[in-house]
């Protein structure tokens, strides 16, 4: 069983479109994250969310929004896609207590044409 | 503010040779430290972590790391690498009592040659 699963694996779309990436975890964790990895492999935190608090990286454009229908899901919606949004997006989860480490999904390769 | 510095962006090594990937950190409070590995086209996977206690931490796939508080370092080592260890390695830290968002280094690409 996959612990953190993301869909789709690949997403190719045109500039200006709106798209979503889905993430589900079956680990019973209470905190989920979205990271963006650029072409140089740099990981940038976008959002952190648990049932109490959404923490947003202030550098993330408001075209990006997380949506959590329940504790096991954290989807990423992106409006008006731009060329610079092309990257690999990773979902991750952890237990709220620190020191547990993160469990990552396998990533979604987003290409904006 | 906390930070993580991985001093080498790329480390080439021959198979069966030892390797050390360097990580230094900066924080004004106590920290938890982690190493993650990312194989090509995959997500990150936790290799090992230091929370407290013994400064030498053993992880999966024969890797180990040593926490050195005076030098603010957490270097990753393996005595003999395999071709399959070729991957990107990330050092990360959590500040004790801080947010639940770890700070990642920029990654080190380990390239193992036959």
């Amino acid at each position: 069983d996959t612990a953190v699963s993301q869909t789709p694996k690949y997403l190719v779309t045109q500039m200006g479109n709106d798209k979503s990436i889905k993430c589900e975890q079956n680990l019973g964790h209470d905190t989920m994250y979205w990271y963006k990895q650029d072409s140089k492999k740099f990981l940038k935190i976008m959002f952190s969310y648990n049932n109490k608090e959404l923490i947003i990286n202030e550098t993330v454009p408001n075209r990006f929004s997380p949506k959590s229908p329940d504790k096991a899901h954290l989807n990423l919606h992106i409006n008006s896609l731009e060329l610079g949004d092309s990257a690999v997006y990773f979902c991750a989860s952890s237990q709220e207590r620190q020191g547990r480490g993160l469990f990552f999904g396998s990533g979604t390769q987003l290409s904006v044409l | 503010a906390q930070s993580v510095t991985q001093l080498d962006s790329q480390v080439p090594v021959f198979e069966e040779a030892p390797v050390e990937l360097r990580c230094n950190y900066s924080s004004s409070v106590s920290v938890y430290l982690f190493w993650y590995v990312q194989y090509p086209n995959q997500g990150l996977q936790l290799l090992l972590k230091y929370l407290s206690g013994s400064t030498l931490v053993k992880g999966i796939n024969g890797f180990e790391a040593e926490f050195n508080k005076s030098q603010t370092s957490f270097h990753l080592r393996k005595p003999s690498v395999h071709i399959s260890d070729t991957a990107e390695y990330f050092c990360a830290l959590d500040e004790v009592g801080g947010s639940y968002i770890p700070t990642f280094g920029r990654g080190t690409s380990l390239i193992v040659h036959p």
Side-chain angles (χ1 to χ4, degrees):
Chain A
D1 281 346
T2 303
V4 181
S5 59
Q6 297 178 228
T7 53
K9 176 93 175 151
Y10 300 97
L11 183 54
V12 181
T13 187
Q14 300 287 331
M15 269 175 40
N17 284 351
D18 302 337
K19 289 293 177 185
S20 295
I21 305 172
K22 294 185 177 180
C23 178
E24 175 182 4
Q25 55 94 5
N26 62 7
L27 298 167
H29 288 169
D30 43 28
T31 304
M32 296 183 74
Y33 310 79
W34 277 105
Y35 281 85
K36 178 181 180 181
Q37 187 175 48
D38 64 22
S39 58
K40 294 185 178 178
K41 302 291 186 181
F42 179 61
L43 278 164
K44 173 184 168 183
I45 182 69
M46 302 178 71
F47 305 101
S48 164
Y49 182 77
N50 63 22
N51 57 1
K52 300 173 191 171
E53 190 177 16
L54 170 65
I55 300 175
I56 302 172
N57 183 330
E58 61 188 17
T59 67
V60 173
N62 58 16
R63 299 181 293 104
F64 290 80
S65 58
K67 302 259 192 268
S68 180
D70 56 57
K71 202 169 113 171
H73 296 83
L74 184 67
N75 303 324
L76 182 65
H77 294 267
I78 316 169
N79 295 325
S80 303
L81 277 155
E82 300 178 358
L83 293 176
D85 297 332
S86 295
V88 181
Y89 292 83
F90 287 101
C91 178
S93 71
S94 72
Q95 276 298 91
E96 187 173 358
R97 278 185 293 164
Q98 287 182 300
R100 296 299 185 98
L102 269 57
F103 287 77
F104 283 81
S106 57
T108 296
Q109 172 83 59
L110 172 64
S111 299
V112 183
L113 308 177
Chain B
Q2 72 273 24
S3 67
V4 176
T5 302
Q6 292 184 243
L7 297 162
D8 305 299
S9 59
Q10 207 172 75
V11 173
V13 65
F14 286 106
E15 194 173 19
E16 297 183 7
V19 71
E20 178 179 84
L21 305 183
R22 296 181 293 169
C23 173
N24 286 87
Y25 69 91
S26 173
S27 174
S28 56
V29 300
S30 297
V31 296
Y32 301 124
L33 292 160
F34 307 84
W35 275 99
Y36 291 83
V37 60
Q38 183 181 24
Y39 298 107
N41 299 314
Q42 294 185 29
L44 281 71
Q45 176 184 356
L46 184 64
L47 258 184
L48 50 77
K49 59 186 177 184
Y50 171 79
L51 304 183
S52 64
S54 172
T55 56
L56 184 63
V57 180
K58 294 191 184 296
I60 61 172
N61 301 340
F63 283 93
E64 63 181 32
E66 184 153 23
F67 171 61
N68 187 319
K69 189 174 180 180
S70 63
Q71 297 188 6
T72 59
S73 68
F74 191 55
H75 300 332
L76 181 70
R77 302 185 183 102
K78 186 169 183 179
S80 175
V81 295
H82 303 289
I83 297 284
S84 60
D85 292 322
T86 295
E88 195 79 18
Y89 291 80
F90 292 91
C91 183
L93 75 78
D94 269 343
E95 288 191 324
V96 177
S99 74
Y100 302 123
I101 302 174
T103 300
F104 281 85
R106 297 192 71 94
T108 297
S109 178
L110 175 64
I111 302 169
V112 181
H113 298 287

